[in-house]
Structure formats: C-alpha cells, structure tokens
Amino acid sequence: MALLSSARYRAAGVFLALAGLLGFCVASTEGLINVYRIILPGNTLPDGAYPYPPEFWGVNAILSDVSICFLVIGMAAVFLAKERDEYLERIRLESVQFAVYAQFLVGLVAFAYVYCTPGYQIENTFQGIMGMACGAFLVAYGLRYYYIVHIKTDEE
Amino acid sequence: MSSQNVKLENTLRVERAIRRMTQADLAARVDVSRQAIIAIETGKFIPSAVLAIKLARVFGKPVEDIFILLDEESPVPEEVEP
C-alpha cells in the first residue's frame, strides 16, 4: 500500500498510456513517413513515391522509445494508484486478472490466425500482434472495471 | 475452516432503514464509496475488520450484531419454543 501512487495521476496515466500505445503503433508501422509527407509535400517524386529522409530511422527510433516510456509510466500511474476503498481495490485487482486473460486470449487468437493463414509472415506481424494484445489488456481492464463499479453494482 | 463454506450475513440494510439512512449517507460516514456499501449489503464483498468495526460503530452496536458468521459446521441454532 505504501508504494502506491496518488489517485490524482490516474487520468494523466490513462492519457499517457493511450498516447504511448498510439505512438508505438505509428513507430512500429513506420507511419511517421506520412507525417513527413504532410509537412514536406514537395519531396514527393514524380511517380508518387516518397523517399525516406536520412534522419527518418533515428526519429522513428526516438518515437518508439518515448512511446514505450509513456506506455509504461501511464500504466504504472493507472495500475499502481491508490483506490478510494478496499472494495474498489479488489475490483481493480480482479479487473487486472481479467485483462491479463483477455490479453493472452487475443494474442493467442491473433497469432493462430496469422500462423494458419497463408501469405502472412509471422516475422512481419509479431509486433502488431503484441501491440493488439497490449491494447486488449487496456480495453478489457477499463471496460470491466467501469462496468462492475458504475453499472453492475448500481443495478443491485 | 476454509472460506469456501463460510457466509457472512449482515443487517446493514435493516439498520439503515431503521435510521432512515441512505447508502450514500452511510458511505460518507465510514469514508468509502457507495458501491462498497452496496456490495457489502448484497453479500458480494466481505469488509475488512477495520471497516466492519467502523460500520458497527455508526449504528452503535457490537460487530457481531451487524455481521453474522454462518458456516456449514455450525449452522444457526433453531429457536426453541418455550
């Protein structure tokens, strides 16, 4: 209990985690090139292709690392925050357990789909599967926690 | 005695009704969420000893009068007719 952080950082933690997840998805799919395409449209070649600038991979690596930091700090701020009372703490713990199962299931199904479908290379989709599983954890946690606390309990 | 065959009943709802107290009022008195009071009243959540004592103090009764421990080995004794 002593190591838990203040609940006031939870909202900022949710924002940080989602921003980190988005940033990581952009960085892992090299989506940053589209930002370059918008900011510097004049560099587009006559055939429509857009050459990667020399500093692209460095910027992409920084985006990836910063996004992972955001994700870790955001998740810590959410999951290691104090709750108002012991009932909410128990719901949070159960929701984390539920979310871990959801993450495992989504990752397993996505992995099986990619593995069993001809034409996919597992090496190219592994990061995407991991990102989707991580997103499933956050979504499952949020949905279950707020369903139990704000919908199911109020119905009783 | 494992926790599997133990049931903790409580008279919170009755005590609240006697004193015309809402769940929100009781929650504010013991500094927990209203959802926690709902979960305790419906038996979905067993409170800690500290919270149980706080709740009993609100009604001015011993904890044993508010929370009644039932288990399979020692069922509630039937009332003996005089």
Side-chain angles (χ1 to χ4, degrees), chain A:
Chain A
M1 289 291 287
L3 293 175
L4 296 178
S5 62
S6 172
R8 78 179 71 162
Y9 302 122
R10 187 177 301 148
V14 170
F15 177 77
L16 266 184
L18 291 176
L21 190 63
L22 179 69
F24 181 71
C25 289
V26 169
S28 61
T29 55
E30 299 167 24
L32 202 59
I33 194 66
N34 294 317
V35 178
Y36 276 93
R37 208 187 285 266
I38 293 167
I39 295 172
L40 303 167
N43 291 354
T44 307
L45 298 176
D47 62 354
Y50 194 89
Y52 281 26
E55 77 280 6
F56 175 81
W57 295 108
V59 175
N60 199 57
I62 290 170
L63 175 66
S64 177
D65 293 347
V66 170
S67 298
I68 290 171
C69 286
F70 275 22
L71 189 60
V72 170
I73 293 169
M75 287 177 74
V78 172
F79 297 114
L80 301 181
K82 285 175 186 163
E83 291 284 356
R84 188 178 164 192
D85 59 53
E86 56 199 61
Y87 172 67
L88 296 179
E89 278 176 4
R90 196 191 74 169
I91 297 300
R92 180 177 65 177
L93 179 62
E94 288 177 357
S95 299
V96 169
Q97 291 171 332
F98 179 82
V100 167
Y101 285 123
Q103 179 185 26
F104 179 74
L105 190 66
V106 167
L108 192 68
V109 168
F111 183 82
Y113 177 78
V114 169
Y115 190 77
C116 297
T117 306
Y120 279 111
Q121 293 287 327
I122 194 73
E123 294 84 2
N124 299 335
T125 50
F126 188 74
Q127 272 192 328
I129 292 172
M130 290 295 109
M132 195 162 68
C134 187
F137 175 89
L138 293 172
V139 169
Y141 170 81
L143 286 180
R144 189 184 185 279
Y145 182 89
Y146 286 99
Y147 170 72
I148 296 286
V149 172
H150 295 292
I151 298 174
K152 193 180 174 195
T153 310
D154 278 347
E155 285 173 353
E156 290 164 351

Side-chain angles (χ1 to χ4, degrees), chain B residues 14-29:
Chain B
V14 176
E15 297 292 344
R16 270 197 315 107
I18 291 169
R19 288 161 181 79
R20 297 179 187 279
M21 190 184 279
T22 64
Q23 290 170 334
D25 294 337
L26 180 58
R29 293 280 294 273

Side-chain angles (χ1 to χ4, degrees), chain B residues 3 7 9 13 18-19 29 31-32 37 41-45 48-49 59 61 63 65-66 69 73-74 76:
Chain B
S3 60
K7 196 175 178 200
E9 291 195 343
R13 191 165 295 205
I18 291 169
R19 288 161 181 79
R29 293 280 294 273
D31 196 25
V32 296
I37 299 297
E41 282 187 356
T42 53
K44 298 261 172 68
F45 174 62
S48 67
F59 301 118
K61 290 191 171 182
V63 177
D65 287 0
I66 305 292
L69 187 66
E73 284 84 17
S74 56
V76 178

